[in-house]
Amino acid sequence: MANVLVVTSGKGGVGKTTSTAALGAALAQAGERVVVIDFDVGLRNLDLVMGAERRVVFDLINVVQGVAKLQQALIRDKRLENLWLLPASQTRDKDALTDEGVGRIIAELRTKFDWILCDSPAGIERGAMLAMRYADEAVIVTNPEVSSVRDSDRIIGMLDSKTVKAEQGERVTKHILITRFDPARAARGEMLSIDDILEILATPLLGIIPESQDVLRASNVGSPVTLNNAASAPARAYTDAARRLMGESVDMIVPAERRGLMNRLLGRRAA
Amino acid sequence: MSMNLLRLFNGRKASAPVARERLQILLAHERGLRGQPDLLATLREEILAVVSRHIQLDPDKVTVKLDRGPTVSTLEVDIEVPNNFEHEVRANRRLGAV
């Protein structure tokens, strides 16, 4: 059965697109059939992070408006044959996205894929609403920083009220993915700890992605970090998170970048 | 424990506990408001309607502010009225307006 998963956050720049690409690739690497959809109409970037920017012909809005068929707009990844991308439109007005149109596309994708990952735009406007509208699950990307945590709380409220699931009296399964985490700074009390964030948001943790240069390096070359350098700390963290999404139980560790024992011991705040 | 020790060495005060506390207070408040119409906008509109029955007002000159304190909060209503508005009110009354 297909799973529709929205990657959202409210706040911009926390790593939604990076996380969508990395989780999508990790799920595909595990053999799942995956499509990642960019909902950021007018500011598309998932194509760039996935390295498919020169292969975009048709986009999400073309399909919504019936200009193109879904099969014509889907772009197959060059590295993984079971990973596909549905890009956003770069030029068109975002009002062209309709609830009904998105519903139709998601319903069709459900028959073809195991995972449908919706990369939400920042904010709480139409694009973000439509990205989460048909979700079964949500990954809320959060940085250990007050504004990001506040926006995540707001998004959690929307997931619990504005989605089709919520309107039917069901629940969207929510997960927190903490990105740009710096264990050393958290240990020094300069950064909200994992426990602080989870306690405030009262939502289970999917994974902890450490702050790392590998993330930038991967996006520079247009490759999801799990494909670009699978042994790197962020790639291992994303791979673990993807396994948890598939229902496996994987120990929650903060993958470190070859740090000393002391640093690793201090990675979690003492209770 | 480790945090306290480190703080002792580098002499800086940890800011994360402050962040946590501020967030907890703020979010408790925001969650309470969720799903309700915007209280301040409603107040502003209704105050404007009441005062406008007697004094001609520029709607932009009415501001309603809420300042949340730890124990009590202050609701500040600031209405800028034109000079001589009392005379205008009396004149209107004589003409049978309002």
Side-chain angles (χ1 to χ4, degrees), chain A residues 4 33 41 61 81 161 163 166 170 230 255:
Chain A
V4 179
R33 288 171 300 167
V41 174
I61 288 183
E81 62 163 17
S161 61
T163 52
E170 293 172 61

Side-chain angles (χ1 to χ4, degrees), chain B:
Chain B
M1 237 329 232
S2 60
M3 198 168 62
N4 292 338
L5 267 177
L6 278 166
R7 220 184 302 162
L8 202 69
F9 286 125
N10 67 18
R12 243 179 310 167
K13 238 183 134 184
S15 56
V18 181
R20 180 181 52 195
E21 201 182 317
R22 289 178 59 220
L23 270 171
Q24 278 168 334
I25 294 168
L26 174 70
L27 293 183
H29 175 79
E30 286 187 345
R31 284 168 188 159
L33 287 182
R34 216 171 267 162
Q36 291 179 6
D38 184 354
L39 175 69
L40 287 190
T42 313
L43 277 176
R44 190 180 165 279
E45 230 165 80
E46 293 186 5
I47 290 168
L48 182 65
V50 170
V51 180
S52 298
R53 264 188 255 153
H54 306 284
I55 306 168
Q56 256 199 340
L57 284 179
D58 179 352
D60 294 339
K61 301 283 168 65
V62 180
T63 54
V64 178
K65 269 194 257 176
L66 184 63
D67 195 3
R68 282 192 302 276
T71 49
V72 286
S73 303
T74 330
L75 184 68
E76 183 186 316
V77 182
D78 190 341
I79 306 174
E80 193 181 310
V81 294
N83 283 334
N84 298 325
F85 72 93
E86 301 102 321
H87 299 292
E88 277 175 44
V89 172
R90 267 184 232 131
N92 285 342
R93 287 255 163 82
R94 269 203 299 278
L95 289 170
V98 178

Side-chain angles (χ1 to χ4, degrees), chain A residues 41-42 58-68 86-89 91-97 105:
Chain A
V41 174
F58 294 113
D59 56 56
L60 179 61
I61 288 183
N62 292 144
V63 183
V64 167
Q65 295 182 329
V67 174
L86 182 54
S89 163
T91 53
R92 274 165 223 253
D93 187 4
K94 50 178 165 284
D95 292 336
L97 268 190
I105 289 174

Side-chain angles (χ1 to χ4, degrees), chain A residues 140-155:
Chain A
I140 301 135
V141 183
T142 307
N143 288 173
E145 190 245 324
V146 285
S147 56
S148 175
V149 175
R150 180 198 208 173
D151 291 358
S152 293
D153 191 71
R154 185 86 190 273
I155 284 291

